[in-house]
Amino acid sequence: MRLNCPPMWSVVSVLTVVVPLWEMGCSGLTLNSVPLHRVGTYQRCGEGGAHHRQRRSWVWNQFFVLEEYMGDEPLYVGKLHSDVDKGEGRVKYVLNGEGATSIFTIDENTGDIHATKRLDREEQAYYTLRAQARHRDTNLPVEPESEFVIKVQDINDNEPKFLDGPYSARVPEMSPVGTSVVTVVATDADDPTYGNSARVVYSILEGQPYFSVEPRTGVVRTALPNMDREAREQYLLVIQAKDMVGQMGGLSGTTSVTVTLTDVNDNPPHFSRKSYQFSVPESLPVATMVAKIKALDSDVGPNAEMEYRIVDGDGLGLFRITPDPDTQEGLITLQKGLDFETQSSYTLRVQASNRNVDLRFLSLGPFSDTATVRLNVQNVDEPPVFSSPFSKMVISEAAKVGTTIGTISARDPDSTNSPIRYSIDRNTDLERFFNIDAATGVISTAKPLDREVNAVHNITIFATESFDPLQVGKGIVLITVTDINDNAPAFAIEYETYLCESARAGQVIETISAVDRDEPQSGHRFFFSLTAEAAGNLNFTLRDNKDNTASVLTKRGSFQRRHQTVYRLPVLIMDSGSPALSSTNTLSIRVCDCDPDGAPQSCGSEKSMLSAGLSTGALVAILACILTLLVLVLLIITMQRRRKKEPLILDEERDVRENIVRYDDEGGGEEDTEAFDMVALRNLNVVHESSCKTRRDVTPEFPTLFSSSRPPPDNGVFREFIWDRLKEADVDPSAPPYDSLQTYAFEGSGSAAESLSSLDSLSTDSEQNYEYLSDWGPRFKKLADLYGHSDGGNLFAS
């Protein structure tokens, strides 16, 4: 039987030798022992449909490429070869898959595979490619396509790294040797399955001899016993991780570990001194802090929390010590008042101990300490002290003025024993009901007392030292006023009693009771009766019920409103005091028309409010009069307001500014005496009335400002000047509305004396002749006598 099988393909690799997979014969097939990654396939073979197993033509192991190759030439990976290829150039090799043509190339003639780029196993560990042999001319496959792997072989090119570093750890102080602190972990990116590139060992570079590290696990442990936080609290360790199992040439990385020792209660408290001394004023109030002491402890936090207590001394009940939760100081506070005169010093023995004790360290000694505290009481000038700060006294309201109520006493607690003077705080006795003897403290009445007005008086008494008036003590006296029978009984309420016209004889129409402002110790007992005048009336009678009430009954029936609408019944009420007091109270009984059930429907026309004797008509008349008066008052007020709102032209707008005259001209001699006569100003309107329309803001009448015994001269120039100014003001929209407010600066003319100015007299060359003064008339006679016959230069020289 002829076996038709294709020739064998082989692959030659740098690291692998290809061997045949199958040995075949017609008598059967056997599988040689080959590596597990080699495979074979079955295929029909021979005639007659016999089944024979055909070997696969592609045979190779994995290709390996060394990573990080840095040569100049492409790196040879391996060679592909097919038995079909007889070296005649008819077969070409084709490569496809990951990195084909970009990283890996194949010589299509020889089947040689090269890597053209540097490879990094940490980026990609292997590449899967597909190889095929094709006929060069027809491009048809002469072998089926097959898949193979190129694996990147690792080299030690990555150092170990601590991804979680640097580390921080805490461990209790005084921990035993070997106590675990922290575990450090280093990772190596190299292939852990190939060689020792990723096998890391740990060592400690800094931190000996206090700590150690396990080489393979990276567990950091304590290496020394009794490490004391109070001596050193923090340590800095440097841990190294080295690959290649720590051998020469391995790569390494480091990290730091900061180890902090946490506190344990291994230190007992102690006082810095064995005795303390403080001064305490005797005037301090209770619950005041008088001293602070502190026991020192090297521990911190809860391990340093203190408890203090007084274990001995003569002030056990007088003082108390408590810890301050923030500062852990012992605060000594006062529990009772101090008195220097009684005891001037106290001694306390105070113990301080830890609140939280660690039993492991009890062998180190007792976790407590004691100290002595001496408290010296300072003498203070204290105010007087009452023998009883609160006194109660009783006085009858019948007591006469000057009656002694009681006595209070106070003393000076100091050794000076100053005399005491007493007084009443008048803010507590505004009406001055009481007096006190300043020297003896005897309290007496100053006014009559009335229990019904004020049953209890709470007064404050001042006790002042005579030697030092600033030292004042206070005491309270509560004076209770006892009752006497000084108030007569009266009706309990104001009764409104109704009587039906259909009432029968003997019918109870009202039950009355009484009240008394007094409060007898045995209680009230009232007696009711009619007065002697009303005892014999034929209409009503009174029955004492013996229970502090009385009933009013009718003596007859058939009361008629038209005969009498109201009945007045005087009732006598007497108390049981000693002496007994009584009063007469009048009960008003109104006659009403009642329904069948006895409820009043309508009563007499006289209302209860008319008890004063006013009729309804009189009240209506009074109300009408009051209303009329109110209307008249409102009308008068309204008219006055309207009159006030009307403008009073003559009074309110009267112009008084015409009398304001301003002179700032030099003057014009005798003619100037009438320069601003307002008559001339007023006449301007008359003179020029036909030529110009004047302003008519107001037309007041002005009196002549200056009067003269002779008629004013004809000042035509002056009038012309004023008129020009007036016309300017009339056409000036910004001018004020009144002519009299204008300023007219005008120097008159026509004076025979001309100017009297002395400005030129300052010249030394001027020669003055004053002979003409005698010609000016009698007004200048005095000047003529003085200067008329002298040299002009002497006018100012004299």
Side-chain angles (χ1 to χ4, degrees):
M1 181 176 178
R2 185 165 178 256
L3 180 65
N4 293 322
C5 292
M8 183 186 70
W9 281 75
S10 64
V11 178
V12 180
S13 171
V14 175
L15 302 178
T16 305
V17 177
V18 179
V19 298
L21 282 178
W22 309 99
E23 289 185 5
M24 291 176 258
C26 294
S27 60
L29 298 175
T30 60
L31 178 63
N32 292 336
S33 296
V34 295
L36 295 178
H37 59 267
R38 298 181 178 181
V39 296
T41 60
Y42 288 100
Q43 197 176 53
R44 293 184 183 274
C45 181
E47 297 178 357
H51 287 75
H52 299 278
R53 188 165 187 177
Q54 179 180 344
R55 63 184 179 182
R56 182 173 178 176
S57 299
W58 292 98
V59 181
W60 58 77
N61 286 329
Q62 287 182 334
F63 289 157
F64 290 90
V65 180
L66 195 65
E67 70 169 334
E68 305 292 345
Y69 173 72
M70 305 295 294
D72 296 333
E73 298 295 332
L75 178 64
Y76 181 73
V77 178
K79 184 180 182 65
L80 298 181
H81 183 74
S82 174
D83 290 344
V84 179
D85 186 3
K86 302 300 184 180
E88 300 173 350
R90 295 179 181 179
V91 177
K92 66 176 181 179
Y93 299 94
V94 179
L95 190 65
N96 294 303
E98 291 182 301
T101 69
S102 63
I103 298 176
F104 302 101
T105 61
I106 188 170
D107 190 327
E108 64 177 11
N109 297 319
T110 63
D112 293 335
I113 302 175
H114 290 81
T116 61
K117 293 184 178 180
R118 182 174 62 88
L119 302 180
D120 188 354
R121 190 201 66 83
E122 286 70 40
E123 292 182 1
Q124 187 165 346
Y126 62 91
Y127 296 84
T128 303
L129 295 98
R130 297 184 305 277
Q132 192 174 38
R134 293 179 177 271
H135 195 282
R136 184 177 299 276
D137 297 331
T138 63
N139 201 32
L140 295 176
V142 297
E143 294 288 349
E145 187 180 58
S146 185
E147 186 176 87
F148 67 98
V149 172
I150 298 178
K151 187 174 182 180
V152 182
Q153 188 175 1
D154 183 50
I155 65 172
N156 189 19
D157 61 339
N158 290 279
E159 74 277 4
K161 294 182 179 179
F162 294 91
L163 300 180
D164 297 330
Y167 295 85
S168 295
R170 301 168 67 88
V171 64
E173 63 173 333
M174 310 301 288
S175 295
V177 174
T179 301
S180 176
V181 179
V182 68
T183 299
V184 296
V185 177
T187 59
D188 195 318
D190 293 325
D191 189 358
T193 64
Y194 178 77
N196 295 325
S197 298
R199 295 181 63 185
V200 177
V201 293
Y202 301 93
S203 62
I204 183 167
L205 301 182
E206 295 183 17
Q208 301 97 341
Y210 306 103
F211 298 92
S212 64
V213 62
E214 293 184 358
R216 296 188 178 279
T217 62
V219 177
V220 180
R221 299 182 184 274
T222 58
L224 283 182
N226 303 326
M227 285 193 293
D228 192 359
R229 184 200 65 85
E230 288 71 35
R232 182 176 177 182
E233 184 176 5
Q234 202 169 77
Y235 297 83
L236 181 62
L237 283 63
V238 177
I239 306 297
Q240 181 189 67
K242 190 173 184 181
D243 59 14
M244 299 299 291
V245 200
Q247 298 176 1
M248 292 286 293
L251 302 179
S252 64
T254 60
T255 187
S256 64
V257 180
T258 302
V259 180
T260 302
L261 298 182
T262 58
D263 187 60
V264 298
N265 192 8
D266 59 336
N267 292 280
H270 68 280
F271 288 102
S272 59
R273 294 185 295 172
K274 287 301 179 182
S275 63
Y276 298 84
Q277 188 167 334
F278 301 94
S279 296
V280 183
E282 65 173 335
S283 59
L284 286 180
V286 174
T288 302
M289 183 187 68
V290 298
K292 291 192 297 185
I293 60 175
K294 185 176 183 180
L296 303 178
D297 194 328
S298 300
D299 298 320
V300 294
N303 297 319
E305 293 181 357
M306 295 290 177
E307 288 183 344
Y308 297 89
R309 65 190 185 98
I310 301 174
V311 296
D312 197 6
D314 55 359
L316 289 176
L318 195 62
F319 299 95
R320 178 188 178 189
I321 186 168
T322 55
D324 187 318
D326 297 325
T327 64
Q328 300 303 318
E329 293 176 306
L331 308 180
I332 302 176
T333 55
L334 187 63
Q335 295 297 103
K336 296 180 181 179
L338 299 175
D339 187 5
F340 173 82
E341 288 72 24
T342 302
Q343 187 170 347
S344 60
S345 66
Y346 297 88
T347 301
L348 307 174
R349 193 160 68 93
V350 178
Q351 182 187 68
S353 59
N354 280 140
R355 179 173 299 173
N356 304 305
V357 178
D358 195 331
L359 300 179
R360 296 177 300 170
F361 305 103
L362 286 179
S363 59
L364 299 179
F367 279 74
S368 63
D369 195 13
T370 58
T372 301
V373 179
R374 182 179 179 85
L375 300 170
N376 296 321
V377 182
Q378 292 180 331
N379 187 24
V380 176
D381 191 5
E382 300 173 277
V385 178
F386 284 88
S387 57
S388 176
F390 183 79
S391 301
K392 293 183 178 181
M393 300 180 182
V394 178
I395 185 68
S396 173
E397 65 175 329
K400 297 180 179 179
V401 175
T403 301
T404 299
I405 303 173
T407 304
I408 61 170
S409 63
R411 64 177 182 84
D412 183 6
D414 300 314
S415 57
T416 56
N417 196 19
S418 172
I420 306 300
R421 296 186 62 81
Y422 303 95
S423 61
I424 297 177
D425 182 2
R426 291 305 176 184
N427 291 324
T428 61
D429 184 27
L430 296 175
E431 298 185 17
R432 297 179 177 268
F433 283 109
F434 307 100
N435 285 330
I436 188 170
D437 189 284
T440 62
V442 175
I443 300 175
S444 59
T445 58
K447 286 183 179 181
L449 303 176
D450 189 353
R451 188 204 66 84
E452 287 71 37
V453 175
N454 194 350
V456 178
H457 296 267
N458 190 344
I459 62 174
T460 300
I461 306 298
F462 292 145
T464 307
E465 292 184 11
S466 298
F467 296 160
D468 186 2
L470 297 178
Q471 298 297 328
V472 180
K474 292 182 181 181
I476 303 299
V477 177
L478 192 67
I479 301 175
T480 302
V481 181
T482 58
D483 185 46
I484 62 172
N485 191 26
D486 59 344
N487 291 278
F491 279 155
I493 61 174
E494 184 177 353
Y495 293 98
E496 293 184 359
T497 305
Y498 299 95
L499 173 64
C500 294
E501 290 181 316
S502 59
R504 302 181 304 276
Q507 181 178 340
V508 176
I509 61 173
E510 188 67 83
T511 298
I512 59 176
S513 61
V515 293
D516 194 329
R517 296 178 62 192
D518 297 321
E519 292 184 358
Q521 296 181 355
S522 58
H524 290 290
R525 176 68 178 92
F526 300 118
F527 304 94
F528 299 88
S529 62
L530 296 178
T531 60
E533 295 80 4
N537 77 88
L538 302 177
N539 299 314
F540 307 98
T541 185
L542 186 68
R543 182 181 65 202
D544 194 335
N545 297 326
K546 308 299 183 181
D547 59 354
N548 289 343
T549 65
S551 299
V552 179
L553 300 86
T554 57
K555 280 188 175 181
R556 64 180 181 87
S558 301
F559 290 89
Q560 299 293 327
R561 285 184 298 163
R562 63 178 180 272
H563 296 156
Q564 188 170 349
T565 57
V566 178
Y567 293 89
R568 313 288 183 185
L569 185 64
V571 178
L572 179 66
I573 307 175
M574 181 180 295
D575 60 21
S576 58
S578 179
L581 297 179
S582 62
S583 66
T584 300
N585 300 264
T586 300
L587 181 67
S588 297
I589 304 172
R590 189 181 308 280
V591 181
C592 301
D593 182 17
C594 301
D595 59 13
D597 295 331
Q601 297 294 321
S602 60
C603 300
S605 60
E606 188 177 2
K607 307 295 181 183
S608 58
M609 62 185 298
L610 306 180
S611 58
L614 293 176
S615 63
T616 303
L619 287 175
V620 172
I622 292 174
L623 292 175
C625 292
I626 293 174
L627 183 60
T628 303
L629 290 175
L630 289 176
V631 172
L632 290 175
V633 169
L634 290 175
L635 290 175
I636 293 173
I637 293 174
T638 303
M639 294 177 65
Q640 289 180 348
R641 288 183 177 178
R642 290 183 177 178
R643 289 183 179 180
K644 289 181 179 179
K645 291 180 181 180
E646 293 178 359
L648 303 177
I649 297 176
L650 296 179
D651 295 335
E652 293 183 359
E653 296 185 2
R654 175 175 297 171
D655 182 35
V656 296
R657 286 174 287 181
E658 61 186 13
N659 296 325
I660 301 175
V661 181
R662 178 179 175 182
Y663 295 90
D664 58 353
D665 58 303
E666 189 173 306
E670 290 81 3
E671 296 179 4
D672 203 32
T673 57
E674 298 292 331
F676 286 92
D677 187 2
M678 299 306 296
V679 176
L681 185 62
R682 289 198 301 271
N683 292 336
L684 293 176
N685 291 334
V686 179
V687 175
H688 298 276
E689 185 176 1
S690 58
S691 61
C692 183
K693 182 178 180 181
T694 61
R695 294 174 56 152
R696 301 186 180 277
D697 297 302
V698 292
T699 55
E701 294 182 0
F702 300 91
T704 302
L705 186 60
F706 298 102
S707 59
S708 178
S709 57
R710 59 189 180 89
D714 184 12
N715 295 330
V717 176
F718 172 71
R719 286 197 300 271
E720 189 66 25
F721 173 80
I722 293 299
W723 180 248
D724 292 338
R725 301 287 83 77
L726 180 60
K727 288 193 294 182
E728 292 177 2
D730 287 338
V731 298
D732 186 3
S734 62
Y738 304 114
D739 295 336
S740 59
L741 290 179
Q742 299 298 312
T743 300
Y744 301 107
F746 176 79
E747 183 174 353
S749 60
S751 173
E754 297 182 351
S755 175
L756 295 178
S757 173
S758 61
L759 295 177
D760 294 335
S761 64
L762 294 178
S763 175
T764 56
D765 298 334
S766 61
E767 295 181 0
Q768 297 289 340
N769 184 3
Y770 298 99
E771 294 294 334
Y772 57 87
L773 293 176
S774 57
D775 300 331
W776 286 4
R779 295 186 181 182
F780 296 89
K781 184 176 183 303
K782 187 67 175 177
L783 287 176
D785 294 338
L786 290 174
Y787 304 105
H789 301 286
S790 62
D791 192 346
N794 295 330
L795 178 62
F796 292 98
S798 61

